[in-house]
Amino acid sequence: MTHYSKAILINEYFAAAGLLCSVIACLMIPLLTSGGVRSLRELLSPARIPRLALMGLCFGGTVLFGTLAVLPGEFVAYEFLYLLFPSAAGLLLCMLALRLTGDSGGWKGALHFTSSAAVLTVLIILFNYSNVYLLFGRVDLRAEVILTAAIGLFSALFSLVRLALLVTRRTGRIFERFPPAGLLFSAAATTIIPAVMTLSAMPADIDSLVPGISDRLAPYILLFTVAVGLMILTDRYREEDAEKKYRELHEKEMHYMSLFDYNPDAVFALDDGGRIFDMNGRARDMVSRIPEGAGLHMITEWTSTDQQDKILQHYEKVLGGASDEIEVTLQIGSREPVNLILTSLPILIEGRFTGAYSIAKNITESKKNQEKIRHLAYYDELTDLTNRKYMREYVDNLASGKKDLPFYLFFVDFDRFKKINDLFGHEFGDRVIRHSALKLQNALPAGTVLSRSTADEFIAVLDSGLDPLQAAQAIVREFSLPFQVGQQMIGLTASIGIARFPEDGIDGETLFNHADLARFDAKSRGGGRFSLFDHSRAQENQERLILERDLQAAIEQDQLVLFYQPKVDTRTGELVGVEALVRWKHPALGMVPPLKFIPVAEESGLIVPLERWVLRTACRQIQAWAREGRPQIPVAVNISQIHLMQTDIVESVLSTLEERMIDHRLLELEVTESAMMHNEEQVIAILSRFKQAGIAISLDDFGTGYSSLSYMHLLPIDCLKIDRSFIKDITTNENSRAIVEMILTMARQLELRIVAEGIEYEEQVALLRDLRCFVAQGFYYGKPVPAEEIHVCSDLSS
């Protein structure tokens, strides 16, 4: 026994080494548990193993150096292999401690880490006593010593486990999670524990030989002191965490309150029964500014009966824990209905439904705007009828419907409306359309869907219970007589095309095309009538539709050509002028005669750009003939009534002449007698301006119109052209000859030049010479031919 009789002193170097290992091991706790450790598998994940190994080795070093710090110096060198056991045990205890503390939560967690501290106490005592037994061959088994050691160790471990649990749950940087004071106290406790446990386990006879150690309780008092310090620090950190969490909760509460109070949308707070117990200011404004403290009710009480089921189904979903969104209309008292998007979100606390928030976005203005946009998209602004887009979708839906019921598609087009527009202006034309739409509605039977398609075209759909023929006849009768618009009497007949479903088409596009072809058929037969779609006439009407569609492109793409028909002096046979006549070389239909496309141009409003093209081309030809050195002869160009009424007609003609630097005397404008029927004063003013500019005016087709002869002396014209209908029978019909003689006499009295049209025979030429009509035009002298085939025989001056 004398072998152990030397004094035992604390080795400060081993103690310092143990403390350093403890500090490193404690630093690894927040690093290792970052993100939480919920299972041993997570603790042993590949990313954590290096840190876990380092922490285990450091705790093993703490056990090793803490034990060495209290052992006799000569024993350290003599029995060093026995001391490898503490390092391995340290790693095992470290893993166990982390796993035990990782499951803590609530009061069950407190009980759990209390039991964890007790388990660790037993394990550490067993380990240290086993280690001392291996070193000394015996241990101190006195009950009071073991009990004192167990109490001291449990108090320290309990405090360490509490602090470790807190550290593993905190967030932030490493020293925010494990403050330096707590780190040092924890390191000191883990360093003291193996030293104290080794001292308590060493045999009593060795202790009695230690001079200067008179109180065996000193190490335990130190251990208790550290444990108390850890308890105080842990409680302090818990208070700080609680204060921080309170501040965060308070901030979140303020954020939520701000979100609730200042939300631009109305927010309703509902209890678990779906009753409103609070609402923000915007919601109060929505419900007639309910004052604070007023009784609140169910949202269903602010809706109409048909909306209540919808809202109840919505809240059934929310009460079941699911969010939902619906569009609803609130009707609060006598106020204007409010359209809302109602989004409701359940409030779940630990999986239990405790209420809901309903966010109501006011979309009343948006709905109004949508209705306005829809009205603009589907309704005609002038008549307030639906438009072509609406009718096309409506017909498509009918044609694709499951019932497959027959119906009738009407295309109604008002004849000669474009002339009214051109003569009286668009504002008056709009008044005529509004009035005509009302007359059309009155003529159609109840239950008819009516739309305005284009300027003067309307579309109607009659279902199978209505008689289409009777309806069409009613429309024709309604527009058979003139009607008054403002101070004007308007004669406006209607052409109607009818397509039948399913006989004339089984889809909307086909029905529209066939109804349009039927309308063309009615119009081409004089208008003021109706026509059912007829497959046998479809080809002819399709051609007319093609002409209308392609005419604009023909003007722009130089598909038009100009022919010239000579005017000849019947005495000498000399050429005294030509008339420019337009022809159309259609890429698919070939050469189209004027009688086919000129009416289309007048109806479609393309007559003005067409005649301006003719004027420009004729002027270029005059200029070309001049460059070739040919004698200069006047070229006559026809001007329609619509073109004549254009406000810029004079300026347009004069600018074309100036552009080509052409003598005004080389241009002659031919105006039909029917152009004088409307706005005589305006026509006279326009023709006078032309005459003042040196441009000759011819009155074409004289004798076929209905104008009065009383104003003939007022017209600023230079020439009368006798219509071919009188010339045709001049040699065989006394009445025709008498009319021609009367026209010639009147023309001489008014000092007008005279041209006879439609000359085909020598006998007609001879008779006209006898009647002293010396200028003729017709097939006898030449058909209209291209410019290069015109042969000039003498100068105009001769």
Side-chain angles (χ1 to χ4, degrees), residues 133-302:
Y133 180 81
L134 290 173
L135 291 172
F136 295 98
R138 62 187 186 280
V139 292
D140 189 350
L141 295 178
R142 288 176 295 173
E144 64 272 17
V145 175
I146 297 175
L147 182 60
T148 303
I151 294 173
L153 179 59
F154 177 82
S155 63
L157 289 175
F158 182 85
S159 301
L160 282 171
V161 169
R162 283 187 73 225
L163 183 57
L165 175 63
L166 180 64
V167 169
T168 58
R169 291 186 171 184
R170 299 185 95 188
T171 58
R173 297 176 181 175
I174 185 169
F175 287 113
E176 291 176 349
R177 296 179 64 191
F178 211 159
L183 179 66
L184 290 175
F185 263 83
S186 299
T190 54
T191 305
I192 293 170
I193 286 173
V196 173
M197 291 300 102
T198 300
L199 287 174
S200 67
M202 284 196 312
D205 57 341
I206 295 178
D207 285 347
S208 64
L209 299 177
V210 180
I213 300 182
S214 59
D215 189 359
R216 283 183 56 89
L217 295 179
Y220 303 110
I221 293 173
L222 179 60
L223 193 59
F224 279 120
T225 302
V226 173
V228 171
L230 287 173
M231 291 291 288
I232 294 172
L233 286 174
T234 304
D235 290 338
R236 176 58 186 162
Y237 296 152
R238 286 182 179 274
E239 290 176 2
E240 291 177 356
D241 290 348
E243 290 177 2
K244 182 180 178 182
K245 184 173 291 187
Y246 173 78
R247 288 193 301 270
E248 290 176 351
L249 288 174
H250 183 67
E251 289 178 2
K252 287 183 179 179
E253 183 180 2
M254 295 304 296
H255 289 164
Y256 286 126
M257 290 303 297
S258 297
L259 182 63
F260 183 83
D261 292 333
Y262 300 107
N263 196 303
D265 297 323
V267 182
F268 301 90
L270 288 74
D271 61 18
D272 55 0
R275 293 175 293 275
I276 298 173
F277 67 86
D278 196 9
M279 63 176 68
N280 66 355
R282 183 57 62 91
R284 293 182 183 278
D285 289 339
M286 184 180 293
V287 295
S288 304
R289 292 183 171 84
I290 293 179
E292 290 288 345
L296 303 175
H297 308 284
M298 304 283 286
I299 290 181
T300 50
E301 297 181 12
W302 303 331

Side-chain angles (χ1 to χ4, degrees), residues 501-752:
F501 174 83
E503 294 93 328
D504 298 332
I506 58 173
D507 59 82
E509 183 176 359
T510 304
L511 288 169
F512 267 65
N513 289 337
H514 288 174
D516 207 13
L517 288 171
R519 176 184 64 86
F520 266 111
D521 186 33
K523 206 173 189 67
S524 63
R525 288 192 285 166
R529 65 184 67 210
F530 66 89
S531 177
L532 296 170
F533 174 72
D534 185 352
H535 286 276
S536 62
R537 295 180 60 86
Q539 182 62 39
E540 179 183 343
N541 293 328
Q542 183 68 31
E543 181 179 312
R544 186 177 176 87
L545 276 171
I546 292 173
L547 293 179
E548 182 175 329
R549 182 194 65 198
D550 295 347
L551 185 55
Q552 178 71 51
I555 298 171
E556 296 173 353
Q557 300 173 8
D558 291 331
Q559 294 178 11
L560 302 176
V561 293
L562 213 55
F563 280 25
Y564 300 88
Q565 187 173 30
K567 297 178 183 179
V568 178
D569 189 324
T570 58
R571 296 167 295 182
T572 63
E574 295 180 348
L575 185 68
V576 295
V578 293
E579 179 180 359
L581 300 169
V582 67
R583 299 291 186 268
W584 182 3
K585 286 185 177 180
H586 194 279
L589 302 177
M591 188 66 75
V592 182
L595 289 178
K596 279 193 174 183
F597 70 85
I598 292 297
V600 174
E602 291 178 344
E603 293 170 6
S604 63
L606 293 173
I607 190 65
V608 173
L610 174 63
E611 290 181 346
R612 287 182 176 176
W613 179 90
V614 171
L615 179 64
R616 290 194 303 271
T617 305
C619 289
R620 283 200 301 269
Q621 190 58 59
I622 294 171
Q623 193 179 42
W625 281 335
R627 286 197 301 266
E628 294 172 5
R630 293 192 182 193
Q632 300 293 286
I633 57 173
V635 176
V637 175
N638 291 281
I639 298 294
S640 65
Q641 175 187 351
I642 295 173
H643 193 182
L644 188 63
M645 299 307 296
Q646 297 293 308
T647 56
D648 64 341
I649 176 67
V650 178
E651 290 76 9
S652 175
V653 172
L654 294 179
S655 66
T656 303
L657 293 173
E658 295 299 328
E659 180 183 353
R660 296 291 173 180
M661 295 180 292
I662 294 174
D663 188 345
H664 293 188
R665 295 177 300 168
L666 296 178
L667 178 67
E668 184 176 351
L669 300 180
E670 293 192 3
V671 183
T672 61
E673 185 179 357
S674 59
M676 309 297 177
M677 293 178 61
H678 302 286
N679 298 328
E680 293 89 349
E681 294 181 1
Q682 184 178 354
V683 171
I684 292 172
I686 292 173
L687 296 181
S688 297
R689 292 179 64 190
F690 280 125
K691 192 172 181 65
Q692 291 171 3
I695 298 174
I697 305 296
S698 292
L699 190 60
D700 199 9
D701 301 335
F702 184 76
T704 60
Y706 302 96
S707 58
S708 172
L709 298 178
S710 62
Y711 68 88
M712 283 296 296
H713 67 285
L714 300 175
L715 293 176
I717 59 176
D718 301 282
C719 176
L720 281 180
K721 297 187 74 174
I722 303 174
D723 187 71
R724 67 182 69 247
S725 61
F726 300 120
I727 300 299
K728 178 181 178 182
D729 300 325
I730 191 174
T731 59
T732 57
N733 189 301
E734 292 295 329
N735 291 332
S736 295
R737 177 172 177 171
I739 292 173
V740 171
E741 288 179 351
M742 180 191 68
I743 293 174
L744 291 170
T745 301
M746 181 184 67
R748 293 189 188 102
Q749 291 294 325
L750 296 175
E751 299 181 350
L752 301 176

